[in-house]
Amino acid sequence: MLVLSAARCGDEMLVAYSCKCRGACPSCSARRMCGSAAHLVDHVLPDVPLRQWVLTAPYEVRRVLALRPDALTAQNRFFVEEIARWQKQRAAAFGVQGGETGAVTFVQRFDSMLRCFVHLHVVAVDGVFTKADDGALVFHEGRAPSHEEIAHVAARVEKRMVRWLRRRKLIDERPAEERSNEPREVEPLEACMQMGLFDGVFLRLGDGGAQLGSDDDEPHAPRGKVPWRRSVAST
């Protein structure tokens, strides 16, 4: 925190960031990121191989994840549980029974353009732990997953999440021709989220209120093909 004091009037103003930035500050965010990473490395994560798993969702589900904390919690739980299930089954196939594993999740809500893009980064132990007769923990390192195994984990996560959403009537599975063309009224927060989710346009105004050129007036580089676009999990 930083307290700014005016020399003439004596007023004071409390600023959240020392850089006096009103929005997302790259410097402050990077410092916080480094602090969190250091804490995890020094006090949380074991000194064993780790693997990053990333989960994304379709636009309709992404909208629900952005607005409903319970949906985001369920999505993360399904993802972590399915990673652990796959690791334990793979270890059992090699004769390692009763293994346990662990993971840490980071929720990322924006993409590089600050558009609404809720997705999960999971740092998972790349193997399982078992307990020896003397009580010591023994780590059994696993191998890298194949594309087929990643697709299997993704399919199970998708099946469980769709079932969760369907029970709560949070997704519209009707054919397009049966849906109403009239847009429903949304809360201001959801309207802002949808603008960020579907590439809405923000107008820029000059000092006199005149509209400046928007970002859409600038040429955009073509997007490259992204592998595993339909899948919800990757490494």
Side-chain angles (χ1 to χ4, degrees), residues 17 24-34:
Y17 294 118
C25 171
S27 177
C28 295
S29 299
R31 183 167 60 250
R32 185 174 181 181
M33 176 186 66
C34 292

Side-chain angles (χ1 to χ4, degrees), residues 51 53 80-93 96 99-103 124-128 142 153:
R51 184 175 300 276
W53 296 70
V80 173
E81 288 178 351
E82 292 305 324
I83 294 174
R85 180 200 301 269
W86 169 75
Q87 289 176 326
K88 294 177 183 179
Q89 290 179 345
R90 183 181 60 176
V96 180
E100 294 293 341
T101 185
V125 175
D126 201 19
V128 298
V153 172

Side-chain angles (χ1 to χ4, degrees), residues 136-206:
L137 292 179
V138 180
F139 179 69
H140 306 269
E141 183 177 353
R143 58 175 176 80
S146 64
H147 285 186
E148 291 75 16
E149 290 171 324
I150 294 174
H152 178 70
V153 172
R156 287 190 59 89
V157 173
E158 180 183 12
K159 181 179 179 180
R160 295 181 63 180
M161 192 61 192
V162 169
R163 189 189 313 149
W164 190 93
L165 295 169
R166 185 180 292 128
R167 285 200 302 263
R168 291 158 180 80
K169 299 180 179 179
L170 293 176
I171 54 175
D172 191 351
E173 298 183 289
R174 295 176 299 170
E177 58 272 11
E178 296 182 9
R179 303 184 186 183
S180 173
N181 292 326
E182 295 295 330
R184 64 182 180 86
E185 293 188 7
V186 297
E187 297 293 331
L189 179 61
E190 183 175 358
C192 292
M193 183 277 303
Q194 289 182 351
M195 184 179 294
L197 184 65
F198 298 106
D199 290 337
V201 177
F202 292 87
L203 299 180
R204 295 185 297 176
L205 303 180

Side-chain angles (χ1 to χ4, degrees), residues 110-133:
F110 304 96
D111 62 7
S112 59
M113 298 295 293
L114 293 183
R115 293 172 297 193
C116 182
F117 181 45
V118 181
H119 58 289
L120 304 177
H121 291 258
V122 175
V123 179
V125 175
D126 201 19
V128 298
F129 287 95
T130 58
K131 184 174 292 187
D133 295 337

Side-chain angles (χ1 to χ4, degrees), residues 1-48:
M1 294 291 183
L2 177 68
V3 177
L4 301 180
S5 178
R8 293 183 179 180
C9 63
D11 289 342
E12 293 184 347
M13 179 174 57
L14 189 66
V15 181
Y17 294 118
S18 60
C19 60
K20 301 178 285 296
C21 178
R22 292 188 176 186
C25 171
S27 177
C28 295
S29 299
R31 183 167 60 250
R32 185 174 181 181
M33 176 186 66
C34 292
S36 299
H39 172 73
L40 288 174
V41 171
D42 294 339
H43 304 288
V44 179
L45 297 175
D47 187 17
V48 298

Side-chain angles (χ1 to χ4, degrees), residues 54-62 75 79 117 147-148 150-159 161-162 166 173 224-234:
V54 180
L55 180 143
T56 63
Y59 281 108
E60 187 174 2
V61 178
R62 201 178 302 163
Q75 180 76 98
F79 189 36
F117 181 45
H147 285 186
E148 291 75 16
I150 294 174
H152 178 70
V153 172
R156 287 190 59 89
V157 173
E158 180 183 12
K159 181 179 179 180
M161 192 61 192
V162 169
R166 185 180 292 128
E173 298 183 289
K225 294 183 178 180
V226 180
W228 295 94
R229 178 172 291 276
R230 186 178 180 278
S231 300
V232 298
S234 63

